Amino acid sequence: MLVIADTSPLVAIAACDGLGWLDTLFAKVRVPPAVFQEATVQGKPQADRLRHYLQDKVLAIDLHDFVITTEGLGNGELQAMALYKKQHADRLLIDDLRARKAALRNDIHIIGSVGILLLAKENQLISTIKPYLQIIQQTDAHLSPKLIDKALVIAGE
């Protein structure tokens, strides 16, 4: 399975020390150049860890080859969606609600950082998701109380 990743869920998963989960759950993890640049900006949380993890996972993409409904999306999100389409990926790892809606309108199968936690638990990489949800909430990621409650129910916690 190939997953193309956007910046914010990578930062969230890195904060959970879970980048290795991605390699276990997916055959390949790839990012476009804009996501690599966003994730590894000096001073950004988890930048050094993500630079090391992503260094051999960057694939170039030319946005001129694609028509994607943008609706105020960032360059990293746009490149990630285009790379998903170009590579015929299985999932797009993305958390931003506006970007998730745009992805769905463009027939892109998505998963978020909470979905990764659920998969990690399902595959016995972690025993509980609750402490990781708390870590993600301390990052710049916004998890709604409704999403957290739903995830905990799904996880049986």
Side-chain angles (χ1 to χ4, degrees):
M1 248 182 136
L2 170 61
V3 67
I4 306 297
D6 187 36
T7 308
S8 58
L10 285 171
V11 172
I13 292 165
C16 294
D17 291 325
L19 293 173
W21 305 336
L22 296 176
D23 294 327
T24 301
L25 297 170
F26 303 100
K28 292 181 184 177
V29 177
R30 298 291 181 261
V31 298
V35 168
F36 180 80
Q37 291 166 356
E38 291 172 4
T40 60
V41 168
Q42 189 66 30
K44 185 167 184 106
Q46 307 300 324
D48 291 336
R49 182 178 287 176
L50 286 167
R51 184 176 299 105
H52 176 70
Y53 177 74
L54 296 173
Q55 67 186 351
D56 61 347
K57 294 174 173 49
V58 181
L59 292 178
I61 186 71
D62 184 355
L63 288 179
H64 293 100
D65 294 338
F66 296 90
V67 177
I68 296 178
T69 307
T70 62
E71 302 178 28
L73 301 180
N75 200 35
E77 294 159 336
L78 291 173
Q79 282 190 14
M81 287 183 206
L83 188 59
Y84 171 98
K85 292 282 193 174
K86 182 178 181 184
Q87 295 294 314
H88 306 286
D90 298 290
R91 293 285 181 274
L92 175 66
L93 176 57
I94 196 158
D95 278 346
D96 179 81
L97 184 59
R98 184 182 316 147
R100 290 171 68 89
K101 288 179 180 179
L104 290 172
R105 281 192 298 279
N106 284 281
D107 297 319
I108 294 173
H109 300 284
I110 59 173
I111 188 168
S113 54
V114 174
I116 296 297
L117 292 179
L118 290 168
L119 280 177
K121 181 174 181 181
E122 181 181 316
N123 286 273
Q124 301 177 349
L125 301 175
I126 57 175
S127 58
T128 180
I129 68 167
K130 190 172 184 175
Y132 297 105
L133 287 170
Q134 293 169 340
I135 292 168
I136 291 173
Q137 286 180 294
Q138 294 171 4
T139 68
D140 288 341
H142 171 72
L143 301 179
S144 72
K146 184 178 178 180
L147 175 62
I148 292 169
D149 290 344
K150 184 177 180 179
L152 290 170
V153 167
I154 291 169
E157 296 180 31

